Amino acid sequence: MYGNMKFIYDALAWLHDPSTTMEQAVAMHAEIYKRHLCGEVSLLEMAELGKGDRFFLLTRILNRIDLKHPWIYDRIREVEAEPDDCLDLWAREHGKSSVITFGGITQEIIKNPEITIGIFSHTKPIARKFLIQLKTEFETNEKLKLLYPHIFYEFPKKESPRWSEEKGIVVKRTTNPKEGTVEAWGLVDGQPTGAHFALRVYDDVVTKESVSTPDQVSKTTEAWSLSDNLGARGADDKSRSWHIGTRYSYADTYQHILDKKALKPRIYPATDDGTLDGNPVFLSESAWAEKKLKQTLSTLAAQMLQNPAAGAQSLFDK
């Protein structure tokens, strides 16, 4: 499709080597971009690089330079290598939705514009926030339109057969399934009927409201279980799903998933050893100190350390 891509494929293999550092990847991206400006690397080759390297896609094409951080780089490579059937519980403000929901969905569409994706959150307004971010990016990002004109509309509001927060969005595709390219749904306030998505992305399934009472926890867990029937099985007889979130309570829906071992857990607290006294992995020392000053032990334990039980233990010890 893209002609001779050996240079880009060799670069992608090197970029995904576990020994390659973020600094080396940034330098490689800069060199490739320089060669592009000199006419040595075509737009088609740049497009292939964006399709195969989420770090390049996020930082160069989607303009998320705030994600140029060694810890974030490691997470990007990890989720690229194993995207499906994992439960990613990362500390609040540590880029999980940017890396997985925003960057990951964009990359999936670039890889396969025929894909259908359902974003599921505790309620539909929460899910719509993720859809709005993608919708706005696809409307305004000229780099995406230049590199992938066969996927993204120049004027999607006028040209796309479906382009709204309520009904979802549709990019250029040759098939015509009833599901949009991306749709947003709530787990507990009206799941779709008769829809089956090739990829289900669960982001912020657990919220403060969902753990307010045992009944609310049970309702959220049951809704999550029910939504499993909204997947579409592929040629390998598997239904793809991503799960991204932050803990609120040691008895929340995520604990149910962990107890059942339904998904592979990838748990990343805000510090290197998972304790309040550990070194922050992404936040600055001053930002971490401010959080410890302003947040309660229970909030820090659940939201930042991904260990809700630690908050109860600390309060008990005190």
Side-chain angles (χ1 to χ4, degrees), residues 244-293:
I244 309 103
T246 298
R247 300 299 302 275
Y248 276 83
S249 165
Y250 54 79
D252 58 20
T253 299
Y254 294 138
Q255 190 62 52
H256 168 82
I257 295 172
L258 291 170
D259 290 342
K260 288 198 68 174
K261 298 182 180 179
L263 301 167
K264 177 182 176 179
R266 287 192 292 221
I267 302 173
Y268 288 103
T271 61
D272 54 1
D273 63 359
T275 70
L276 290 172
D277 297 325
N279 299 311
V281 296
F282 178 63
L283 298 176
S284 66
E285 291 283 355
S286 60
W288 180 234
E290 183 179 3
K291 286 191 178 296
K292 290 193 290 184
L293 179 65

Side-chain angles (χ1 to χ4, degrees), residues 84-118:
D84 300 342
D85 301 321
C86 293
L87 176 58
D88 284 282
L89 300 173
W90 305 3
R92 182 69 69 189
E93 298 180 42
H94 279 60
K96 58 188 177 296
S97 293
S98 296
V99 168
I100 301 176
T101 305
F102 177 59
I105 288 178
T106 303
Q107 188 179 40
E108 288 289 329
I109 293 171
I110 290 171
K111 287 180 177 180
N112 175 22
E114 309 299 324
I115 195 171
T116 58
I117 302 172

Side-chain angles (χ1 to χ4, degrees), residues 158-173:
K158 296 180 180 180
E159 299 173 296
S160 173
R162 194 188 317 176
W163 201 263
S164 70
E165 300 168 18
E166 175 63 29
K167 296 183 179 181
I169 60 176
V170 173
V171 300
K172 295 179 183 179
R173 60 187 187 183

Side-chain angles (χ1 to χ4, degrees), residues 123-142:
T123 59
K124 195 166 186 176
I126 299 174
R128 279 183 181 175
K129 292 180 181 179
F130 300 116
L131 174 61
I132 290 170
Q133 183 185 19
L134 291 162
K135 177 175 174 288
T136 302
E137 192 71 27
F138 298 166
E139 289 171 355
T140 61
N141 190 312
E142 297 304 321

